[in-house]
Every structure is written in structure tokens, then in C-alpha cells.
Amino acid sequence: NIKNMKRDEIFKFIENYLFNFCGIEFEINEKTNIKNELDIDSLDMLELIIELENEYKIDIDDEIFIELKTIGDIVNYVIDLL
């Protein structure tokens, strides 16, 4: 189904960003908690927002995005905007 394909694609996009630009060196999944498990700062999060907006041609609300707790929450939020 197209939604699951998009879900996997968005997750891989986020995973790639975290590995390549934030220096994350361990396996992540949709349950990974952004604030507690990943040592990324607000600048990295802002950059991720910009990358997602550019890649998927969406408009992300920064205030909502900051409240998201897990990688899965981000994936769901992006899917809802598509």
C-alpha cells in the first residue's frame, strides 16, 4: 500500500539525515525518543524540518514539530501533510 511505502521512505530519509548530519551512530526505529535517546539540538531539528519541507514539498509548523516525541511521530506528521 502506498502509505506504507511512503512511511518507509520518510523513515529512511530521517534516518539518513540523523546518521549523516547529526552523527547518530546507533540503530534507530520509529519508537526512538528524539529528546531522550538522540543527542540532537534545536538547530539540528530546525535543519531536519527544512530538509523534510524541501524533500516532500510540505509546510511544517515548527511549534507542532518540536512537540513530537518519537521518530514515528515525525513520520506520521509528515504523512498527514502529504
Side-chain angles (χ1 to χ4, degrees):
N1 121 2
I2 192 85
K3 208 161 194 155
N4 283 340
M5 285 172 49
K6 271 289 182 210
R7 175 170 216 82
D8 291 344
E9 175 192 321
I10 295 166
F11 176 80
K12 287 287 180 206
F13 184 88
I14 294 168
E15 181 181 54
N16 186 51
Y17 172 81
L18 292 173
F19 288 168
N20 292 318
F21 299 102
C22 300
I24 303 300
E25 297 179 349
F26 53 88
E27 194 172 323
I28 63 169
N29 59 50
E30 288 203 23
K31 292 187 172 131
T32 301
N33 187 293
I34 300 159
K35 293 177 179 78
N36 297 341
E37 296 176 62
L38 304 179
D39 186 25
I40 59 175
D41 59 25
S42 54
L43 195 59
D44 289 330
M45 287 297 280
L46 185 58
E47 188 64 35
L48 176 57
I49 289 172
I50 293 166
E51 294 292 325
L52 287 166
E53 286 180 330
N54 291 339
E55 179 71 16
Y56 295 103
K57 310 291 182 254
I58 56 176
D59 190 22
I60 292 174
D61 183 328
D62 302 8
E63 291 178 17
I64 292 173
F65 196 86
I66 306 172
E67 296 302 314
L68 301 176
K69 302 214 179 327
T70 66
I71 301 297
D73 292 342
I74 294 175
V75 171
N76 290 331
Y77 181 66
V78 171
I79 286 174
D80 287 346
L81 292 175
L82 293 176

